[in-house]
Amino acid sequence: RQDQFGDITSIPRLIKRDLPHHQSTAKVSIVRKNLVNKLALHDWFHMLLRWTTTFSISILLLVWTFAIIVFALIYMYDDKINPLVECGLGAAGDPIGFNGAFAFSLETCTTVGYGLPNSTNGFFEQSCTSLQAIIYFQMVWSMMFNAFLFSFFFSRLSRSQERSVQGSFIFSQ
């Protein structure tokens, strides 16, 4: 037999008709494969949607906090390698500490923008291009992560995963 996709007699049956007169033994040939690792690598968004809300939010909060800490360490490193340049993070000759760098990273990530910790406009100076680049990359990361969070919560609230027609079953012969 032919249909629009070609020969349909070559498609394996879900229920084998192996008894006389094309009757079946009512054994269903379904094999469920563990696709967790493949999903985590190729479809991590839907993997997050499959977890419980509490677990997903906890993971996302840890990722966000880790990124803030990483950018705080980058700010500390940038201020330490240029100790005499007054960019506004730490005083000249006194690099910014972790608490100040963490607070600045947090306010940059949340776009609060209270200002630089040392209360100067050194950020706009020609010699502070590395600080400007770091702030730029943190803001880009923050906007992308916020867009991801918006789509995650929208998908979570709309229950799109429960209504999807895709399954994780692979039918065997």
Side-chain angles (χ1 to χ4, degrees), residues 49-66:
L49 287 176
R50 287 189 177 116
W51 291 337
T52 63
T53 304
T54 306
F55 186 72
S56 296
I57 291 174
S58 299
I59 293 294
L60 292 172
L61 187 61
L62 283 173
V63 168
W64 187 69
T65 304
F66 178 74

Side-chain angles (χ1 to χ4, degrees), residues 39-99:
L39 280 176
L41 293 175
H42 299 292
D43 196 7
W44 48 269
F45 181 77
H46 288 98
M47 187 75 175
L48 274 173
L49 287 176
R50 287 189 177 116
W51 291 337
T52 63
T53 304
T54 306
F55 186 72
S56 296
I57 291 174
S58 299
I59 293 294
L60 292 172
L61 187 61
L62 283 173
V63 168
W64 187 69
T65 304
F66 178 74
I68 291 172
I69 290 171
V70 165
F71 277 105
L73 294 174
I74 293 171
Y75 288 129
M76 287 175 59
Y77 176 76
D78 184 56
D79 203 32
K80 187 180 282 187
I81 62 170
N82 299 319
L84 300 177
V85 177
E86 184 69 34
C87 288
L89 289 179
D94 185 24
I96 191 171
F98 180 75
N99 290 342

Side-chain angles (χ1 to χ4, degrees), residues 47-163:
M47 187 75 175
L48 274 173
L49 287 176
R50 287 189 177 116
W51 291 337
T52 63
T53 304
T54 306
F55 186 72
S56 296
I57 291 174
S58 299
I59 293 294
L60 292 172
L61 187 61
L62 283 173
V63 168
W64 187 69
T65 304
F66 178 74
I68 291 172
I69 290 171
V70 165
F71 277 105
L73 294 174
I74 293 171
Y75 288 129
M76 287 175 59
Y77 176 76
D78 184 56
D79 203 32
K80 187 180 282 187
I81 62 170
N82 299 319
L84 300 177
V85 177
E86 184 69 34
C87 288
L89 289 179
D94 185 24
I96 191 171
F98 180 75
N99 290 342
F102 182 81
F104 180 67
S105 178
L106 180 63
E107 76 182 52
T108 302
C109 192
T110 58
T111 66
V112 173
Y114 290 125
L116 295 169
N118 201 21
S119 299
T120 66
N121 288 330
F123 170 74
F124 298 105
E125 297 295 326
Q126 291 281 338
S127 59
C128 297
T129 55
S130 62
L131 178 62
Q132 294 167 357
I134 296 168
I135 291 173
Y136 169 78
F137 285 115
Q138 185 173 12
M139 292 301 297
V140 168
W141 181 88
S142 178
M143 288 188 307
M144 298 298 277
F145 194 74
N146 287 340
F148 171 79
L149 285 177
F150 180 77
S151 65
F152 172 77
F153 283 116
F154 180 79
S155 294
R156 208 53 192 166
L157 290 173
S158 67
R159 306 264 187 226
S160 63
Q161 190 64 26
E162 285 81 12
R163 292 191 322 239

